Amino acid sequence: MSDVFISYSKSRQKETKELAADIEARGFNVWWDTDMSPGEPFQDVISNELARARAVVVIWTPTSVASNWVKSEAGRALKRNVLIPVYTPDLNLDLIPPPFDVLHTELVTNRDAIFGALERLGIRPGETPLKPQPAPPSRRYALALVGASAAACALAAIPLLKGRVSGSDKPVRTFEIGSNTISAIVYTFAGNGILLGDWDGAISLRDIQNGSEVRRFDGHSHVVWSLAVLPDSHRIISGGDDGLLRLWDLANVHPIREFKGHSDEVWSVSLLAGQDKVLSASLDGTMKLWDLSTDIPIRTFNYGSRLLCAATTPDGKIAVSGANGAIQMWNVADGSRINVLKGFDGEITSVGALPDGKHVISAGVDGVIRLWELASTQEVAKFGANRKISAFGISPSGRTVIAGGEDAIVQLWNIRERRLMKSFNGHAAAVESVAISPDGRSAASGDRKSVVNIWNLEGTEWGI
């Protein structure tokens, strides 16, 4: 029984040998057909090893996409939910045969993605007996990277933080990205990568462990103001100062689609849960609802003055938009204005809906974070530090919010208790973007001097 079975074309033994060596160097048990003994019936041996392997890496090449053997092996791995598809750089991705063409597929050279996929499958080095020792097939297939969402992570899950750094107010990791302001930041769904938007119009996918650039996406003319990762985990949506939204696949540096309709900068994009739709907010005073399968807006919401932020409730029925001095509530279905939340001093820079679907939270230049009840439109709590808040992120549990400000400090607040839990120090310039990881265990922040800090949120008694 092996940890990893490698399916490949005989014409690409060099890449396969290098991959096998790298996987074995990490302590995994690897099988590919060079392990066969003379005289063994190859079809029976391969079938047996394939059936018992805990993960199957299929290398798509210009030759293997036409191989019935490779397609058969990939199909059997797919049925067992243990398939990890990769491809060589010389392959046209359009040639990957169905049904594998709908699965996100990484470059064979992206070892982090492969090792991360093994982690997601629950496979760790040293856990599998050597092949001479009989053992029943592993049943830990529940986290397999197969299907439109699970298979689609650009970087598979790597353990994010080694050990606990409970209570520390210093970053566990710092990356100096370049010379541009980090204007937008978001985690990948796997949580081991971050996407950064900057003032040059570029989006950079970075490894969370070392900050290295995995892929770069160029398309916006100047500032990338907003980013969001779609639930399928391999597509992202961006909004920029060129008034455009762009849809990207993390495996391709070129945009899938451009959305034109705003006449000014797009400062916010918000996904509608369970739907392939996005809401954009612009300085042109409008929000637009888009179906990602077409480039024509479904609906336009006219605010009347420039919009800096927008969000939707978890059920996708209500949208909230923030501008100067007020938050407006909208009916997403018909575009009608429901109500207005007032009580602000200056512009609202951030707004978000809590997971309970009953509350929204906002922040802005007055330095106050406010919690609102949607049903009554009443402010039920407020707290802050009298500093301009540039960006915030809400935890997956909805219990805490992390906020970055002009004073270069990042703060973690308990929402319901209105209590400052931790101040994080590590930036030397104003913080322009923040995000909390999907598992709630870390946060990332970017500043005007192109520094990204990773913070440990474990041990802060907030729950996830």
Side-chain angles (χ1 to χ4, degrees):
M1 174 181 175
S2 59
D3 289 318
V4 181
F5 177 105
I6 301 179
S7 177
Y8 71 106
S9 166
K10 291 292 192 295
S11 64
R12 306 305 285 264
Q13 284 204 8
K14 180 178 181 294
E15 288 98 330
T16 308
K17 183 177 181 180
E18 291 174 350
L19 175 60
D22 286 348
I23 296 175
E24 286 178 336
R26 292 285 187 99
F28 295 98
N29 185 15
V30 180
W31 192 94
W32 55 308
D33 59 16
T34 58
D35 290 342
M36 290 176 58
S37 301
E40 287 186 294
F42 75 93
Q43 186 171 347
D44 292 345
V45 173
I46 290 175
S47 294
N48 184 55
E49 292 292 342
L50 180 64
R52 292 163 60 84
R54 302 171 68 198
V56 177
V57 176
V58 171
I59 305 176
W60 294 119
T61 69
T63 304
S64 71
V65 294
S67 168
N68 289 332
W69 282 108
V70 175
K71 287 187 283 188
S72 173
E73 290 164 1
R76 291 169 66 181
L78 181 61
K79 288 180 180 179
R80 291 177 52 217
N81 288 343
V82 295
L83 176 64
I84 302 175
V86 297
Y87 69 97
T88 54
D90 58 339
L91 175 69
N92 180 347
L93 294 180
D94 292 337
L95 297 179
I96 295 177
F100 314 106
D101 56 334
V102 299
L103 304 179
H104 176 74
T105 307
E106 266 293 348
L107 276 167
V108 67
T109 54
N110 190 346
R111 300 296 201 251
D112 284 341
I114 296 170
F115 295 131
L118 293 172
E119 178 73 22
R120 285 288 293 268
L121 283 166
I123 304 170
R124 295 174 179 82
E127 291 186 348
T128 303
L130 295 177
K131 283 177 286 184
Q133 298 174 306
S138 169
R139 295 183 180 272
R140 294 197 293 173
Y141 302 141
L143 298 179
L145 291 180
V146 177
S149 58
C153 55
L155 296 170
I158 301 170
L160 185 60
L161 298 171
K162 305 293 185 182
R164 295 175 67 87
V165 196
S166 299
S168 174
D169 63 351
K170 302 300 181 184
V172 295
R173 219 165 282 116
T174 296
F175 311 134
E176 295 185 8
I177 304 301
S179 58
N180 280 315
T181 294
I182 305 300
S183 49
I185 190 167
V186 66
Y187 278 80
T188 60
F189 259 75
N192 66 313
I194 51 174
L195 288 148
L196 308 174
D198 66 29
W199 279 26
D200 265 354
I203 301 167
S204 176
L205 174 60
R206 299 268 173 171
D207 188 309
I208 199 76
Q209 294 293 325
N210 56 30
S212 62
E213 186 171 70
V214 178
R215 192 161 292 116
R216 183 181 177 89
F217 310 87
D218 292 295
H220 290 284
S221 61
H222 192 33
V223 185
V224 177
W225 286 121
S226 51
L227 290 169
V229 180
L230 273 70
D232 60 20
S233 77
H234 70 93
R235 290 180 300 161
I236 60 173
I237 189 81
S238 61
D241 79 335
D242 51 11
L244 300 177
L245 284 80
R246 285 184 169 86
L247 181 66
W248 310 81
D249 190 303
L250 290 179
N252 195 326
V253 298
H254 302 294
I256 301 172
R257 184 169 287 111
E258 291 186 348
F259 303 87
K260 301 177 181 179
H262 287 294
S263 59
D264 209 333
E265 303 178 24
V266 176
W267 271 46
S268 177
V269 292
S270 178
L271 303 173
L272 272 68
Q275 306 177 53
D276 214 28
K277 296 176 182 177
V278 65
L279 185 73
S280 58
S282 170
L283 298 186
D284 66 8
T286 69
M287 294 190 301
K288 292 185 182 293
L289 180 65
W290 307 85
D291 187 320
L292 295 181
S293 64
T294 178
D295 57 3
I296 301 174
I298 300 172
R299 188 167 295 110
T300 296
F301 307 75
N302 291 296
Y303 186 92
S305 63
R306 71 179 198 162
L307 288 169
L308 303 182
C309 53
T312 57
T313 54
D315 61 8
K317 295 181 179 180
I318 296 176
V320 289
S321 57
N324 188 21
I327 291 176
Q328 296 198 20
M329 295 169 53
W330 304 83
N331 185 319
V332 174
D334 60 17
S336 61
R337 187 183 289 115
I338 300 173
N339 224 319
V340 180
L341 312 179
K342 297 180 178 179
F344 302 91
D345 182 13
E347 289 186 322
I348 301 162
T349 56
S350 302
V351 65
L354 296 191
D356 65 8
K358 300 176 181 179
H359 297 86
V360 296
I361 194 165
S362 64
V365 296
D366 63 358
V368 179
I369 300 173
R370 290 178 167 87
L371 179 66
W372 301 85
E373 185 180 63
L374 290 177
S376 65
T377 70
Q378 296 298 306
E379 178 187 291
V380 295
K382 66 178 179 180
F383 45 94
N386 297 318
R387 66 198 183 108
K388 180 181 177 181
I389 297 173
S390 308
F392 70 31
I394 300 171
S395 70
S397 67
R399 296 172 182 168
T400 59
V401 60
I402 194 163
E406 291 283 335
D407 57 3
I409 296 175
V410 176
Q411 294 181 333
L412 181 70
W413 291 84
N414 183 294
I415 295 174
R416 298 196 181 279
E417 296 178 8
R418 302 182 289 281
R419 174 169 57 92
L420 177 62
M421 304 184 71
K422 182 67 63 177
S423 287
F424 300 99
N425 299 285
H427 289 285
V431 176
E432 290 289 323
S433 53
V434 295
I436 294 180
S437 64
D439 64 6
R441 299 182 184 277
S442 76
S445 56
D447 66 27
R448 288 182 185 172
K449 290 188 176 180
S450 199
V451 170
V452 174
N453 283 322
I454 308 299
W455 313 95
N456 188 357
L457 299 187
E458 291 187 297
T460 51
E461 299 178 0
W462 64 307
I464 58 171

